Amino acid sequence: MTKIIDGKALAAKIRQELAEEIGALSARYESKPGLAVIQVGADPASSIYVRNKKRACEEAGIVSFGYDLPAEVSQSELLELIETLNNDERVNGILCQLPVPDHIDEFTILSAIDPAKDVDGFHPVNVGLLSIGHDCLVSCTPAGVLEMMHAYDLPIEGQRCVVIGRSNIVGKPVAQLMLKEHATVTIAHSRTKNLPALCREADILIAAIGRAGFVTTDFVKPGATVIDVGINRNEEGKVVGDVAFDEVSKVAGAITPVPGGVGPMTIAMLLKNTVKAWRKANGIIE
Ligand code: NAD
């Protein structure tokens, strides 16, 4: 029987647990975690993500500070805001919703965020710490993938893992996490040869490509764990993953659906990172 990994239910459980943790600790320490969410411009998809993040914060007892900047804001004005937030004790996490407009250099912005407040885990310091297997703020989608695999007791150690996709926000960090958990990891990408055959070697197949239904049964070893990070719209406008769920779910040992798989976990991990940063800033170790 294929296990369907219910990210929606798991994320709800984590958010509930975080709300309880924050409720108990904030009373005792007279402090509340705070998250600053910066949006530059009014990209409709970004606006939905930002709204969902703010709402999730409020439900969990995290104070959210919203900064909606016009698309024409200069890079130096944005850097000034980040500097102010870096020095604001009420703010434990800072995220700048991507993408930013073309006149702003993404790397410069991400590098300006205090690594201790970098709840998206995109700062080069956190990326470097992850690559040497050190404790750090890990980017939310990869952290969500790992959390799901742990919650469902899916084996990682000693397993062959193939990650399709080498982006800085998903492919590379999820590969680092799998390596840290002692999997044998291969990162595949658009120039990889014989991709289906390579993927068929995988005990764990992670798809982070951005192409609807790209991963078919031809890519999947029977019994493998298949994690679908993709969020795409098909011709009918329906949200679908990178994996052809209907056929692959008949072959996989465990699989994440889209929607309701990795997506909800990403926000839960953002809240978790914010609480982690808040605890550290306030010396809360209990
Ligand atoms: P990206 O475009 O930055 O990277 C895509 C990767 O896929 C690239 O490394 C590329 O080499 C690889 N690729 C493209 N075509 C390929 C092919 N034909 N064969 C093999 N590899 C190929 O995308 P991203 O930001 O990593 O996002 C990937 C997907 O995950 C998107 O659908 C995105 O919407 C989704 N996503 C979901 C979440 C979430 O919370 N669930 C978070 C981030 C991204």
Side-chain angles (χ1 to χ4, degrees):
M1 263 294 278
T2 306
K3 277 188 208 167
I4 309 294
I5 304 170
D6 187 345
K8 196 173 167 198
L10 181 59
K13 177 168 167 269
I14 292 168
R15 285 166 62 167
Q16 179 60 35
E17 286 167 0
L18 285 171
E20 285 162 19
E21 181 184 341
I22 294 165
L25 292 176
S26 61
R28 220 169 308 152
Y29 289 86
E30 293 179 2
S31 156
K32 274 189 166 222
L35 175 68
V37 182
I38 306 170
Q39 186 182 355
V40 183
D43 172 65
S46 291
S47 299
I48 295 171
Y49 291 138
V50 163
R51 202 180 322 128
N52 288 343
K53 287 172 185 177
K54 286 184 189 157
R55 193 184 311 137
C57 278
E58 274 139 34
E59 279 171 22
I62 294 172
V63 183
S64 75
F65 303 90
Y67 297 89
D68 298 325
L69 307 181
E72 320 73 61
V73 74
S74 69
Q75 178 163 302
S76 55
E77 283 172 293
L78 180 53
L79 289 171
E80 258 172 52
L81 171 61
I82 291 171
E83 190 51 27
T84 305
L85 297 171
N86 281 344
N87 295 316
D88 187 337
E89 282 185 6
R90 298 168 306 160
V91 173
N92 306 109
I94 303 169
L95 78 80
C96 182
Q97 185 66 40
L98 301 177
V100 285
D102 288 346
H103 67 280
I104 294 175
D105 180 54
E106 189 180 292
F107 179 77
T108 304
I109 297 306
L110 297 178
S111 304
I113 295 171
D114 178 348
K117 297 190 179 190
D118 169 40
V119 285
D120 258 342
F122 295 157
H123 191 287
V125 164
N126 282 315
V127 175
L129 289 171
L130 176 63
S131 81
I132 57 170
H134 204 281
D135 181 53
C136 62
L137 290 165
V138 177
S139 72
C140 302
T141 302
V145 168
L146 186 62
E147 188 94 16
M148 290 171 117
M149 294 187 69
H150 282 162
Y152 278 79
D153 280 329
L154 297 167
I156 304 177
E157 186 175 334
Q159 304 291 293
R160 251 331 277 286
C161 173
V162 173
V163 177
I164 319 176
R166 56 172 160 181
S167 73
N168 290 336
I169 63 167
V170 190
K172 283 181 201 153
V174 84
Q176 291 288 3
L177 277 182
M178 289 296 127
L179 187 59
K180 194 176 173 201
E181 298 274 318
H182 314 293
T184 301
V185 184
T186 303
I187 304 180
H189 47 78
S190 53
R191 316 266 175 99
T192 298
K193 294 196 175 114
N194 304 326
L195 187 62
L198 177 75
C199 293
R200 279 198 303 275
E201 291 175 20
D203 305 301
I204 302 167
L205 181 61
I206 302 178
I209 313 159
R211 288 180 175 225
F214 183 86
V215 174
T216 56
T217 45
D218 197 29
F219 289 64
V220 181
K221 174 159 98 178
T225 293
V226 179
I227 305 286
D228 189 354
V229 180
I231 302 177
N232 315 288
R233 283 200 187 271
N234 68 8
E235 303 88 58
E236 295 118 57
K238 212 175 127 205
V239 173
V240 295
D242 289 343
V243 176
F245 183 86
D246 290 347
E247 57 177 272
V248 172
S249 59
K250 295 193 178 93
V251 185
I255 187 167
T256 61
V258 177
V262 177
M265 292 299 291
T266 298
I267 289 198
M269 293 302 104
L270 173 68
L271 305 183
K272 200 165 176 182
N273 274 350
T274 305
V275 172
K276 180 175 177 167
W278 170 66
R279 279 174 162 273
K280 204 158 184 193
N282 289 278
I284 304 172
I285 46 172
E286 61 180 287

